[in-house]
């Protein structure tokens, strides 16, 4: 499969020229854009007016580059060898994130993008552990994620992915030019140099709010004194069902939780034609408009719990399930629901194998930069998500913040029935790659 992985050749030179003009002793923390200066600087060193949509008080180092219309170079990329590895990361992250009897919702894509940007600054054992956790080396991951973002269909659905890097405006912090360049090149990351005060806190929260159409608010509660950098991914998805529900297809029913509690819900009934089944669960695939994206549901079989169903998944078994549905009529019912979720992923990621990255004494992020105050490490990985499933369609948002401190019907005679009237697993997938970009459990609808 040939798709465009785009590289900005001229942009790279301009990035380096801009950064070098602002650097003292090779770092990005020197005079030129330090102190009270917060306006972008062009390649001649001339200060430009602030480029803002929301009164941002940080410096966007890349504004001029994006406005110059540089030449792009198209590279060929085949995603097939790494897709199972990426799905496997999603499944492992989902498994580690489950909370008993509580709704869970993560965006593996959002987490992976934020961590991959961070890994571009890791070296040694820290990088090795991160790559082991990803299941991919960072070069392959950079190329896959750039390809993936570039080829996502957006004709009938809204799927926007945004990335940014914010670093402290301080003489003691020296950010590596190559690190910024690579994350701009592969992730189109906005890059901001900011004072890391209350205005920066408001600006970061506003950036995430804007990039997620208001679904994710106040992702950061504070900026600690030790914080030197934030690497942020924001993701927004919104799509209508291929066939929206009519009023007589939405009925008041009962949802029964795993502990036997009964809840009043609106169940949305439809006939689907893609049936899923493995030893632990039955389910279905329901398409959004244009069949570019789909909602996937897995309902545990009698005697099985959600936890057991999730534990039985691997990247390979999930991809096999999604790629080989049975064409048969499915009497399906989905509850209308909303879920908001926020989690600190530090423990999850350490359990998955990247412990050194969180250890201030041994983390190696020297490829990112250095601080005169002490070693740079990951202090928090904050993940916040939102989903709303309604008769019209689905909208979902996610944001992942890595905080660095120093120290989608035919009719058949046979019919299957899958009514999601008790706890279930669900996913949002893109139909080209069968990659889950949201994964959740609905344990309760209240």
């Amino acid at each position: 499969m040939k798709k465009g992985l785009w590289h900005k050749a001229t942009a790279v030179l301009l990035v380096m020229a801009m950064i070098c003009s602002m650097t003292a002793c090779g770092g990005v923390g020197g005079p030129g854009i330090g102190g009270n200066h917060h306006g972008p600087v062009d390649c001649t060193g001339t200060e430009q007016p602030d480029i803002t949509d929301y009164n941002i008080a940080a410096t966007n180092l890349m504004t001029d580059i994006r406005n110059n219309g540089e030449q792009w170079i198209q590279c060929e990329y085949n995603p097939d060898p790494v897709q199972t590895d990426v799905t496997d990361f999603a499944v492992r992250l989902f498994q580690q994130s489950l909370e008993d009897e509580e709704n869970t919702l993560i965006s593996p894509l959002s987490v992976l993008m934020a961590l991959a940007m961070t890994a571009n600054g890791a070296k040694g054992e820290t990088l090795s552990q991160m790559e082991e956790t990803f299941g991919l080396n960072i070069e392959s991951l950079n190329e896959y994620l750039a390809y993936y973002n570039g080829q996502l269909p957006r004709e009938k659905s809204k799927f926007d992915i945004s990335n940014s890097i914010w670093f402290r405006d301080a003489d003691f912090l020296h950010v590596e030019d190559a690190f910024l360049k690579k994350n701009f090149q592969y992730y189109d990351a906005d890059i901001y140099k900011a004072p890391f005060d209350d205005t920066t806190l408001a600006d970061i929260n506003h950036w995430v709010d804007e990039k997620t159409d208001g679904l994710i608010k106040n992702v950061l509660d504070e900026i600690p004194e030790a914080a030197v950098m934030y690497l942020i991914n924001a993701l927004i998805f919104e799509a209508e069902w291929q066939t929206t529900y009519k009023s007589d297809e939405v009925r008041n029913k009962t949802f029964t939780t795993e502990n036997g509690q009964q809840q009043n819900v609106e169940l949305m009934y439809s006939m689907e034609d893609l049936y899923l089944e493995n030893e632990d669960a039955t389910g279905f695939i329901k398409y959004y408009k244009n069949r570019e994206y789909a909602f996937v549901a897995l309902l545990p079989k009698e005697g099985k719990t959600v936890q057991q169903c999730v534990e039985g998944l691997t990247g390979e078994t999930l991809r096999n399930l999604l790629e080989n549905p049975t064409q048969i009529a499915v009497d399906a019912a989905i509850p209308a629901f909303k879920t908001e979720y926020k989690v600190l992923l530090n423990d999850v990621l350490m359990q998955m194998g990247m412990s050194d990255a969180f250890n201030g004494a041994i983390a190696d992020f020297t490829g990112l930069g250095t601080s005169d105050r002490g070693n740079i490490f990951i202090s928090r990985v904050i993940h916040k998500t939102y989903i709303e499933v309604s008769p019209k369609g689905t909208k979902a948002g996610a944001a992942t913040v890595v905080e660095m401190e120093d120290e989608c019907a035919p009719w058949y005679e046979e019919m299957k029935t899958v009514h999601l009237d008790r706890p279930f697993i669900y996913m949002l997938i893109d139909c080209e790659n069968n990659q889950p970009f949201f994964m959740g459990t609905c344990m309760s609808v209240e």
Side-chain angles (χ1 to χ4, degrees), residues 43-311:
C43 58
T44 65
T46 304
E47 182 173 347
Q48 301 295 304
D50 285 340
I51 307 297
T52 77
D53 292 324
Y54 44 85
N55 193 28
I56 194 158
T59 302
N60 187 341
L61 303 181
M62 303 306 172
T63 300
D64 291 331
I65 295 172
R66 291 196 178 89
N67 290 339
N68 280 337
E70 297 84 8
Q71 181 181 359
W72 295 64
I73 299 173
Q74 183 174 8
C75 298
E76 296 184 7
Y77 181 70
N78 178 10
D80 296 341
V82 304
Q83 286 182 326
T84 297
D85 293 327
V86 173
T87 305
D88 191 64
F89 170 81
V91 169
R92 288 185 286 114
L93 183 68
F94 187 41
Q95 290 169 333
Q96 292 289 338
S97 302
L98 280 191
E99 297 186 27
D100 291 342
E101 299 183 11
E102 297 290 335
N103 292 339
T104 301
L105 178 63
I106 64 167
S107 172
L109 177 61
S110 177
V111 174
L112 195 55
M113 280 199 164
L115 289 177
M117 288 196 297
T118 308
N120 280 320
K123 292 184 177 181
E125 182 61 20
T126 301
L127 177 58
S128 296
Q129 289 183 4
M130 295 184 79
E131 290 178 328
E132 184 71 22
T133 300
F134 301 152
L136 285 163
N137 64 61
I138 190 58
E139 289 81 11
S140 296
L141 188 55
N142 283 333
E143 292 184 356
Y144 177 78
L145 291 175
Y147 150 81
Y148 186 84
N149 189 15
Q151 60 82 48
L152 282 172
R154 295 175 168 95
E155 182 180 345
K156 296 295 183 180
S157 306
K158 180 172 185 174
F159 196 158
D160 291 338
I161 298 172
S162 304
N163 298 295
S164 62
I165 299 174
W166 305 66
F167 61 92
R168 186 182 286 271
D169 184 356
D171 291 338
F172 60 77
L173 180 64
H174 315 290
V175 181
E176 290 292 329
D177 301 348
F179 168 76
L180 296 177
K181 179 182 72 174
K182 182 170 286 188
N183 282 315
F184 175 68
Q185 185 177 17
Y186 284 101
Y187 297 94
D188 194 28
D190 293 329
I191 299 178
Y192 302 101
K193 185 175 186 179
F196 275 38
D197 55 13
D198 287 345
T199 62
T200 306
L201 177 64
D203 289 337
I204 290 176
N205 283 331
H206 197 118
W207 186 92
V208 172
D209 184 300
E210 183 186 62
K211 298 301 183 182
T212 62
D213 287 355
L215 295 184
I216 306 297
K217 297 182 181 295
N218 300 320
V219 68
L220 271 185
D221 52 356
E222 63 172 343
I223 296 181
E225 181 60 34
V228 294
M229 182 177 290
Y230 288 98
L231 300 101
I232 307 175
N233 170 269
L235 184 156
I236 175 71
F237 172 80
E238 187 169 359
E240 290 188 4
W241 301 116
Q242 185 174 27
T243 303
T244 57
Y245 292 90
K246 300 180 179 66
S247 60
D248 62 351
E249 294 172 327
V250 181
R251 307 163 201 166
N252 292 323
K253 294 290 180 178
T254 299
F255 183 97
T256 306
T257 67
E258 286 189 344
N259 64 14
Q261 180 186 358
Q262 294 190 333
Q263 302 172 336
N264 295 324
V265 300
E266 285 189 338
L267 275 186
M268 305 179 297
Y269 292 84
S270 64
M271 293 302 302
E272 306 302 332
D273 66 347
L274 293 178
Y275 176 71
L276 302 172
E277 183 172 8
N278 62 18
E279 61 182 11
D280 296 322
T282 61
F284 57 88
I285 297 175
K286 181 178 179 61
Y287 287 115
Y288 295 102
K289 273 191 175 178
N290 229 37
R291 301 169 75 95
E292 297 169 340
Y293 300 96
F295 178 94
V296 175
L298 294 175
L299 182 69
K301 292 182 177 179
E302 292 294 340
K304 295 282 187 177
T305 66
V306 164
Q307 180 84 38
Q308 290 170 329
C309 292
V310 174
E311 288 176 350

Side-chain angles (χ1 to χ4, degrees), residues 89 92-98 129 132-134 307 343-358:
F89 170 81
R92 288 185 286 114
L93 183 68
F94 187 41
Q95 290 169 333
Q96 292 289 338
S97 302
L98 280 191
Q129 289 183 4
E132 184 71 22
T133 300
F134 301 152
Q307 180 84 38
V343 63
L344 186 67
L345 289 175
N346 293 30
D347 290 342
V348 167
L349 293 168
M350 285 190 278
Q351 291 167 8
M352 290 175 69
M354 48 179 284
S355 57
D356 283 13
F358 295 90

